[in-house]
Amino acid sequence: MKLSSGHLTFCTNIYAGESWSAHFAVLKDSFPKLKAALSPDEPMGIGLRLSNLASIELLEAAQLTAFKQWLDAEGAYVFTMNGFPYGGFHYTRVKDQVHAPDWTTTERLDYTLRLAEILAQLVPDNMDAGISTSPLSYKPWFKADSERQVATVKATSHVLAVAQALNKIYQNTGKLIHLDIEPEPDGFLESGPEFIDWYENELLPAGKTAFAAQAGLTAEKAVEIIKTHICLCYDVCHFAIGYEPHAAIVQELQEKGIQVGKIQISAALKAKLPEAGADRTAVLNALAGFDEPVYLHQVIAQKNDGSLIRYPDLSNALADAGRQEVQEWRAHFHVPIFVEEMGLIQSTQADISAVLTLQKNNPFTNHLEVETYTWEVLPAQLKAPLNESIIRELDWVKNTLAQ
């Protein structure tokens, strides 16, 4: 739905079903109910997540035509896609495989180009569109700095190939599509500073060289194409886990002319840890209730002196919970954004409010997407019917922006 602060929707990665037929069936059942509650009189956008399999199937026969006809009939439109998870994302062990195949592979490149082909046919005229994607690769897969650097160069070359393809789509159709890189803890790009450093010291220099050699473009034109089509996906949960200063990051991006393609509106877990004793144990036990086997739940702990300790998953942090110098944990577990207090632990809802205030006062993107995908694995006390939960989340965002 179009608000004064941008187009607001939810991401369909909340739905199980990796084939197109299964995903479309869920959409046809749920979306009319959501639209009736949230945007009965105006068109409502969809943040579409397609697995690799679904992206192939949607381009077969008349599937895409049928989907476009359904969108028109329902008063729906697609302006953003989630191209991060490539394969199965529900009812299977995902963990670090959410990054596979990574950007060093042609599989990731081909999948993303296919999404762009689909999105160019779905997005309405005079509206930009975006595809969020993984932060190149996953750091723990590469033990040596030299291996990581080789992988970064390869991944960057594939991102640049997407930029060239998106530029061609724009020239041929007038549809402006951007690839939105999504930093995440333990990704190759896991923070605002790491993303900006890669963008300025890897992506732009490599792009100037490649575009000159391949297309005879000037350095200035190469930078223009890259800055138009390669953007940041600002996942609030991920940035909050790293205790990052939202206003400073947004300001630096604007000063450097790097665009934010999308804000993913999501909340992480956080907990203040008492120094010792039964109170500390009770908080840790509450956090342990979120330790589950499907998704990665990276933890960043903050010590009393402000320094950070990083853990690849919640189980690793729980195994090292005896550190008395640690005062706070933040964990990568997308919890409902309308909940801040959960007994002994909290969410990073305040970070969402801060980012939405920045967007309201000085918009820095056109796309707002709620992304809480963990409904199936939430502790029982936080579970509710899915449609009811989606409506509550989007209403919370609308009310927060209206304040």
Side-chain angles (χ1 to χ4, degrees):
M1 69 203 85
K2 180 67 171 72
L3 308 177
S4 60
S5 299
H7 294 273
L8 172 64
T9 188
F10 68 101
C11 181
T12 66
N13 66 352
I14 61 175
Y15 298 135
E18 300 309 312
S19 70
W20 170 243
S21 60
H23 201 72
F24 194 20
V26 178
L27 269 178
K28 287 188 286 189
D29 177 67
S30 64
F31 182 79
K33 302 168 188 174
L34 299 173
K35 185 177 184 302
L38 292 162
S39 186
D41 302 320
E42 298 293 336
M44 180 171 166
I46 294 174
L48 187 64
R49 185 260 162 168
L50 297 175
S51 69
N52 180 62
L53 173 62
S55 71
I56 293 170
E57 293 175 338
L58 185 51
L59 287 172
E60 293 176 347
Q63 296 291 337
L64 188 55
T65 298
F67 183 44
K68 290 167 68 175
Q69 291 172 343
W70 178 83
L71 290 170
D72 290 341
E74 295 295 337
Y77 60 98
V78 175
F79 64 92
T80 185
M81 299 179 83
N82 187 332
F84 195 142
Y86 176 97
F89 198 58
H90 292 271
Y91 303 116
T92 186
R93 183 178 174 84
V94 179
K95 293 296 182 180
D96 61 338
Q97 291 305 299
V98 72
H99 293 277
D102 66 12
W103 272 102
T104 66
T105 67
T106 56
E107 288 85 358
R108 174 64 66 173
L109 172 60
D110 292 344
Y111 166 58
T112 306
L113 293 175
R114 197 178 307 116
L115 294 181
E117 179 185 352
I118 293 168
L119 188 53
Q121 297 183 62
L122 294 178
V123 65
D125 293 337
N126 302 314
M127 187 182 299
D128 69 303
I131 303 167
S132 53
T133 191
S134 76
L136 305 187
S137 191
Y138 183 60
K139 284 179 180 175
W141 290 345
F142 301 86
K143 302 306 180 185
D145 289 343
S146 58
E147 293 178 338
R148 193 174 295 165
Q149 181 56 33
V150 170
T152 298
V153 170
K154 184 67 172 178
T156 301
S157 71
H158 285 157
V159 170
L160 288 169
V162 174
Q164 289 179 301
L166 297 180
N167 182 55
K168 184 173 291 186
I169 289 173
Y170 180 62
Q171 291 176 331
N172 293 338
T173 69
K175 300 294 181 71
L176 196 162
I177 301 175
H178 37 84
L179 183 67
D180 305 330
I181 310 290
E182 182 181 337
E184 175 176 304
D186 289 335
F188 268 29
L189 312 173
E190 62 177 304
S191 66
E194 285 192 3
F195 172 82
I196 292 170
D197 179 70
W198 166 77
Y199 202 104
E200 292 202 308
N201 297 312
E202 299 274 357
L203 182 68
L204 290 177
K208 292 175 186 178
T209 301
F211 290 5
Q214 297 166 11
L217 298 179
T218 64
E220 291 76 13
K221 185 61 178 177
V223 169
E224 177 188 331
I225 290 171
I226 293 167
K227 287 193 171 182
T228 297
H229 296 291
I230 307 300
C231 303
L232 172 72
C233 173
Y234 200 109
D235 188 305
V236 182
C237 168
H238 299 172
F239 281 79
I241 294 166
Y243 307 83
E244 298 198 52
H246 303 295
I249 292 170
V250 171
Q251 181 178 347
E252 184 174 3
L253 290 165
Q254 291 176 323
E255 289 172 350
K256 294 178 179 297
I258 302 172
Q259 298 186 72
V260 175
K262 170 167 65 178
I263 298 172
Q264 278 188 329
I265 303 169
S266 54
L269 286 175
K270 75 173 183 179
K272 297 288 188 181
L273 297 181
E275 288 188 5
D279 290 343
R280 186 182 182 93
T281 299
V283 172
L284 291 170
N285 287 340
L287 286 164
F290 290 85
D291 186 19
E292 57 80 35
V294 176
Y295 302 111
L296 269 181
H297 302 299
Q298 306 94 314
V299 173
I300 300 182
Q302 186 180 63
K303 297 165 65 174
N304 295 327
D305 62 4
S307 61
L308 303 177
I309 306 172
R310 300 175 182 273
Y311 299 97
D313 209 344
L314 183 54
S315 58
N316 304 95
L318 290 167
D320 194 40
R323 291 176 176 265
Q324 299 301 309
E325 73 274 21
V326 169
Q327 63 180 2
E328 183 173 344
W329 280 11
R330 296 191 179 186
H332 181 210
F333 196 121
H334 288 216
V335 292
I337 63 172
F338 51 75
V339 176
E340 184 169 25
E341 296 292 334
M342 294 172 282
L344 295 174
I345 56 181
Q346 299 79 41
S347 79
T348 57
Q349 185 189 79
D351 289 77
I352 300 175
S353 297
V355 172
L356 291 180
T357 296
L358 293 172
Q359 170 70 6
K360 179 176 65 174
N361 293 339
N362 184 21
F364 54 92
T365 184
N366 294 323
H367 297 174
L368 310 172
E369 179 186 59
V370 174
E371 199 217 12
T372 306
Y373 56 81
T374 52
W375 300 103
E376 297 153 7
V377 298
L378 283 171
Q381 68 271 21
L382 291 176
K383 288 185 177 180
L386 188 54
N387 285 342
E388 174 188 318
S389 299
I390 296 168
I391 292 166
R392 285 186 66 187
E393 290 203 303
L394 290 172
D395 275 340
W396 184 87
V397 174
K398 291 164 67 177
N399 291 336
T400 300
L401 286 168
Q403 292 174 4

PDB file of all heavy atoms in Angstrom, residues 346-360:
ATOM      1  N   GLN A 346      13.478  -8.833  25.699  1.00  0.00           N
ATOM      2  CA  GLN A 346      12.820  -7.796  24.922  1.00  0.00           C
ATOM      3  C   GLN A 346      13.125  -7.988  23.435  1.00  0.00           C
ATOM      4  O   GLN A 346      13.882  -8.864  23.060  1.00  0.00           O
ATOM      5  CB  GLN A 346      13.286  -6.400  25.365  1.00  0.00           C
ATOM      6  CG  GLN A 346      12.999  -6.046  26.811  1.00  0.00           C
ATOM      7  CD  GLN A 346      13.991  -6.678  27.768  1.00  0.00           C
ATOM      8  OE1 GLN A 346      15.191  -6.720  27.488  1.00  0.00           O
ATOM      9  NE2 GLN A 346      13.494  -7.202  28.885  1.00  0.00           N
ATOM     10  N   SER A 347      12.519  -7.120  22.630  1.00  0.00           N
ATOM     11  CA  SER A 347      12.869  -7.057  21.213  1.00  0.00           C
ATOM     12  C   SER A 347      13.544  -5.719  20.931  1.00  0.00           C
ATOM     13  O   SER A 347      13.555  -4.816  21.784  1.00  0.00           O
ATOM     14  CB  SER A 347      11.625  -7.193  20.336  1.00  0.00           C
ATOM     15  OG  SER A 347      10.908  -5.962  20.270  1.00  0.00           O
ATOM     16  N   THR A 348      14.073  -5.587  19.738  1.00  0.00           N
ATOM     17  CA  THR A 348      14.700  -4.324  19.323  1.00  0.00           C
ATOM     18  C   THR A 348      13.683  -3.439  18.592  1.00  0.00           C
ATOM     19  O   THR A 348      14.014  -2.756  17.642  1.00  0.00           O
ATOM     20  CB  THR A 348      15.920  -4.587  18.421  1.00  0.00           C
ATOM     21  OG1 THR A 348      15.493  -5.370  17.287  1.00  0.00           O
ATOM     22  CG2 THR A 348      17.008  -5.326  19.167  1.00  0.00           C
ATOM     23  N   GLN A 349      12.472  -3.451  19.084  1.00  0.00           N
ATOM     24  CA  GLN A 349      11.412  -2.637  18.476  1.00  0.00           C
ATOM     25  C   GLN A 349      11.789  -1.153  18.439  1.00  0.00           C
ATOM     26  O   GLN A 349      11.448  -0.436  17.490  1.00  0.00           O
ATOM     27  CB  GLN A 349      10.110  -2.813  19.254  1.00  0.00           C
ATOM     28  CG  GLN A 349       8.902  -2.119  18.641  1.00  0.00           C
ATOM     29  CD  GLN A 349       7.701  -2.141  19.579  1.00  0.00           C
ATOM     30  OE1 GLN A 349       7.630  -1.344  20.508  1.00  0.00           O
ATOM     31  NE2 GLN A 349       6.776  -3.054  19.336  1.00  0.00           N
ATOM     32  N   ALA A 350      12.501  -0.679  19.451  1.00  0.00           N
ATOM     33  CA  ALA A 350      12.889   0.735  19.487  1.00  0.00           C
ATOM     34  C   ALA A 350      13.767   1.095  18.291  1.00  0.00           C
ATOM     35  O   ALA A 350      13.724   2.227  17.806  1.00  0.00           O
ATOM     36  CB  ALA A 350      13.622   1.042  20.792  1.00  0.00           C
ATOM     37  N   ASP A 351      14.568   0.146  17.808  1.00  0.00           N
ATOM     38  CA  ASP A 351      15.385   0.403  16.625  1.00  0.00           C
ATOM     39  C   ASP A 351      14.509   0.604  15.396  1.00  0.00           C
ATOM     40  O   ASP A 351      14.796   1.452  14.546  1.00  0.00           O
ATOM     41  CB  ASP A 351      16.352  -0.760  16.396  1.00  0.00           C
ATOM     42  CG  ASP A 351      17.463  -0.803  17.427  1.00  0.00           C
ATOM     43  OD1 ASP A 351      17.204  -1.235  18.556  1.00  0.00           O
ATOM     44  OD2 ASP A 351      18.587  -0.402  17.101  1.00  0.00           O
ATOM     45  N   ILE A 352      13.426  -0.182  15.284  1.00  0.00           N
ATOM     46  CA  ILE A 352      12.501   0.011  14.169  1.00  0.00           C
ATOM     47  C   ILE A 352      11.890   1.404  14.237  1.00  0.00           C
ATOM     48  O   ILE A 352      11.826   2.121  13.231  1.00  0.00           O
ATOM     49  CB  ILE A 352      11.386  -1.050  14.184  1.00  0.00           C
ATOM     50  CG1 ILE A 352      11.969  -2.454  14.080  1.00  0.00           C
ATOM     51  CG2 ILE A 352      10.398  -0.800  13.055  1.00  0.00           C
ATOM     52  CD1 ILE A 352      10.927  -3.563  14.217  1.00  0.00           C
ATOM     53  N   SER A 353      11.443   1.789  15.414  1.00  0.00           N
ATOM     54  CA  SER A 353      10.848   3.126  15.568  1.00  0.00           C
ATOM     55  C   SER A 353      11.833   4.217  15.166  1.00  0.00           C
ATOM     56  O   SER A 353      11.455   5.195  14.503  1.00  0.00           O
ATOM     57  CB  SER A 353      10.393   3.333  17.019  1.00  0.00           C
ATOM     58  OG  SER A 353       9.382   2.409  17.372  1.00  0.00           O
ATOM     59  N   ALA A 354      13.098   4.040  15.540  1.00  0.00           N
ATOM     60  CA  ALA A 354      14.112   5.039  15.198  1.00  0.00           C
ATOM     61  C   ALA A 354      14.320   5.127  13.690  1.00  0.00           C
ATOM     62  O   ALA A 354      14.409   6.227  13.123  1.00  0.00           O
ATOM     63  CB  ALA A 354      15.430   4.699  15.897  1.00  0.00           C
ATOM     64  N   VAL A 355      14.382   3.978  13.017  1.00  0.00           N
ATOM     65  CA  VAL A 355      14.595   3.973  11.572  1.00  0.00           C
ATOM     66  C   VAL A 355      13.374   4.538  10.850  1.00  0.00           C
ATOM     67  O   VAL A 355      13.505   5.302   9.885  1.00  0.00           O
ATOM     68  CB  VAL A 355      14.932   2.554  11.078  1.00  0.00           C
ATOM     69  CG1 VAL A 355      14.965   2.497   9.554  1.00  0.00           C
ATOM     70  CG2 VAL A 355      16.277   2.112  11.639  1.00  0.00           C
ATOM     71  N   LEU A 356      12.178   4.172  11.313  1.00  0.00           N
ATOM     72  CA  LEU A 356      10.966   4.702  10.681  1.00  0.00           C
ATOM     73  C   LEU A 356      10.847   6.214  10.883  1.00  0.00           C
ATOM     74  O   LEU A 356      10.341   6.924  10.002  1.00  0.00           O
ATOM     75  CB  LEU A 356       9.734   3.992  11.230  1.00  0.00           C
ATOM     76  CG  LEU A 356       9.587   2.518  10.839  1.00  0.00           C
ATOM     77  CD1 LEU A 356       8.304   1.936  11.449  1.00  0.00           C
ATOM     78  CD2 LEU A 356       9.579   2.338   9.326  1.00  0.00           C
ATOM     79  N   THR A 357      11.320   6.716  12.007  1.00  0.00           N
ATOM     80  CA  THR A 357      11.323   8.172  12.223  1.00  0.00           C
ATOM     81  C   THR A 357      12.257   8.850  11.229  1.00  0.00           C
ATOM     82  O   THR A 357      11.925   9.895  10.657  1.00  0.00           O
ATOM     83  CB  THR A 357      11.740   8.493  13.668  1.00  0.00           C
ATOM     84  OG1 THR A 357      10.767   7.955  14.569  1.00  0.00           O
ATOM     85  CG2 THR A 357      11.830  10.005  13.878  1.00  0.00           C
ATOM     86  N   LEU A 358      13.431   8.267  10.999  1.00  0.00           N
ATOM     87  CA  LEU A 358      14.348   8.804   9.991  1.00  0.00           C
ATOM     88  C   LEU A 358      13.684   8.810   8.614  1.00  0.00           C
ATOM     89  O   LEU A 358      13.781   9.792   7.871  1.00  0.00           O
ATOM     90  CB  LEU A 358      15.622   7.960   9.935  1.00  0.00           C
ATOM     91  CG  LEU A 358      16.547   7.985  11.149  1.00  0.00           C
ATOM     92  CD1 LEU A 358      17.637   6.937  10.990  1.00  0.00           C
ATOM     93  CD2 LEU A 358      17.166   9.365  11.330  1.00  0.00           C
ATOM     94  N   GLN A 359      13.008   7.720   8.280  1.00  0.00           N
ATOM     95  CA  GLN A 359      12.346   7.614   6.983  1.00  0.00           C
ATOM     96  C   GLN A 359      11.207   8.625   6.854  1.00  0.00           C
ATOM     97  O   GLN A 359      11.017   9.250   5.806  1.00  0.00           O
ATOM     98  CB  GLN A 359      11.822   6.188   6.798  1.00  0.00           C
ATOM     99  CG  GLN A 359      10.908   5.969   5.605  1.00  0.00           C
ATOM    100  CD  GLN A 359      11.619   6.054   4.264  1.00  0.00           C
ATOM    101  OE1 GLN A 359      12.834   6.174   4.203  1.00  0.00           O
ATOM    102  NE2 GLN A 359      10.858   5.999   3.197  1.00  0.00           N
ATOM    103  N   LYS A 360      10.453   8.796   7.922  1.00  0.00           N
ATOM    104  CA  LYS A 360       9.327   9.729   7.895  1.00  0.00           C
ATOM    105  C   LYS A 360       9.801  11.173   7.740  1.00  0.00           C
ATOM    106  O   LYS A 360       9.221  11.952   6.974  1.00  0.00           O
ATOM    107  CB  LYS A 360       8.501   9.584   9.180  1.00  0.00           C
ATOM    108  CG  LYS A 360       7.304  10.534   9.264  1.00  0.00           C
ATOM    109  CD  LYS A 360       6.476  10.261  10.514  1.00  0.00           C
ATOM    110  CE  LYS A 360       7.241  10.567  11.786  1.00  0.00           C
ATOM    111  NZ  LYS A 360       6.381  10.426  12.998  1.00  0.00           N
TER     112      LYS A 360
END
